[in-house]
Amino acid sequence: MEQKKRIVVFTGAGVSADSGIATFRDADGLWANYRIEEVCTPEALKNNRAKVIEFYNLRRKESLTKKPNEGHIAIAAMEEWADVCVITQNVDNLHEQAGSTRVVHLHGELMKLRSEKDPNLIYDINEGWEQSLDERGEDGALLRPHIVFFGEDVPMFALASRIVEQADILIVVGTSLAVYPAASLVYYVRDRQVPIYLIDPGTPDTSMIRNPLTHIKERGAVGVPQLVEKLREELK
Ligand code: APR
């Protein structure tokens, strides 16, 4: 039996925009209403813990009301006929809710907390959305959102880059390609023949991409199902 094509889908906040979750850098984005220094840096957690915990509590509470959109669902459905891996910058779990079984979260996960002392001590928030200020792990240390803050390492990047190197096709959905090292993943494809598909109503900076690039200037909920159907036809 012919081996299934390996398709890597690299997503950003735009793939969840059609589920009603704000992106970061669009006009109505999160960073238009909050300062990164106040809620998404190690210094903020140290100097203003309550504000950081509240920020992620609010985002977690909001995420519980959101559902996967047709973009997430089409990506998950691709697993029927391709070897699919999702690498997301998003901290929501909408890819998993849509049925994707291989999801790498580069920037952490909203529904998880971890020890401030031992980064391997990670806890699921099984019910509700609230982390209390003084919650501690079994190591006695305070817990923090399991989120990669600006200025912190991206531990999953090495795995993600190896996954992209294996891709036969790279699909990029809803990311401004503004944040590194995540954005550099588009350059980890094994050679310049690997086709790259970009689905975004905006125009992220793809000027340095040398691979065959197809830009579908559509919202994810429209463009992703279109592309998935096209690829299914081509690859069957
Ligand atoms: N469908 C698809 N893409 C969309 C949609 C939509 N409905 N609406 C907006 N977009 C696109 C925008 O055009 C933009 O290219 O989604 C992208 C959103 O870019 P950002 O807001 O910068 O989000 P992202 O690229 O995921 O940010 C990367 O920055 O703040 C950090 O850690 C955070 O993971 C995040 C990282």
Side-chain angles (χ1 to χ4, degrees), residues 49 114-118 131-137 139-144:
R49 182 179 171 76
R114 71 162 187 264
S115 158
E116 288 205 6
K117 197 162 73 178
D118 175 0
Q131 172 193 356
S132 59
L133 264 186
D134 52 4
E135 209 161 340
R136 292 178 182 274
D139 61 353
L142 284 169
L143 296 184
R144 57 162 280 178

Side-chain angles (χ1 to χ4, degrees), residues 48 75 119 124 127 133 135 146 154 157 198 204 217-218 230:
N48 200 343
I75 290 166
D124 287 318
E127 63 204 47
L133 264 186
E135 209 161 340
H146 182 46
V154 183
F157 183 77
L198 171 68
K217 268 185 81 96
E218 292 279 3
K230 172 181 177 291

Side-chain angles (χ1 to χ4, degrees), residues 10-19 21-26 28-31 36 40 56 59 69 88-91 106-107 147-150 173-180 182-183 198-205 216 218-224:
F10 174 40
T11 66
V15 80
S16 295
D18 294 328
S19 296
I21 296 181
T23 62
F24 292 95
R25 293 170 185 82
D26 287 322
D28 56 350
L30 217 53
W31 300 143
I36 289 175
C40 194
Y56 285 96
R59 287 181 68 192
N69 62 63
T88 187
Q89 299 171 87
N90 300 341
V91 293
L106 283 175
H107 295 159
I147 299 287
V148 176
F149 290 153
F150 282 90
V173 189
T175 175
S176 59
L177 295 173
V179 171
Y180 285 79
L198 171 68
I199 298 162
D200 193 318
T203 45
D205 175 14
I216 300 168
E218 292 279 3
R219 297 186 298 112
V222 172
V224 174

Side-chain angles (χ1 to χ4, degrees), residues 148-190:
V148 176
F149 290 153
F150 282 90
E152 292 186 322
D153 285 346
V154 183
M156 302 301 268
F157 183 77
L159 169 66
S161 58
R162 285 197 302 276
I163 291 169
V164 171
E165 281 164 358
Q166 300 296 319
D168 298 315
I169 294 172
L170 177 62
I171 301 174
V172 180
V173 189
T175 175
S176 59
L177 295 173
V179 171
Y180 285 79
S184 65
L185 279 177
V186 298
Y187 306 114
Y188 278 80
V189 287
R190 64 171 170 266

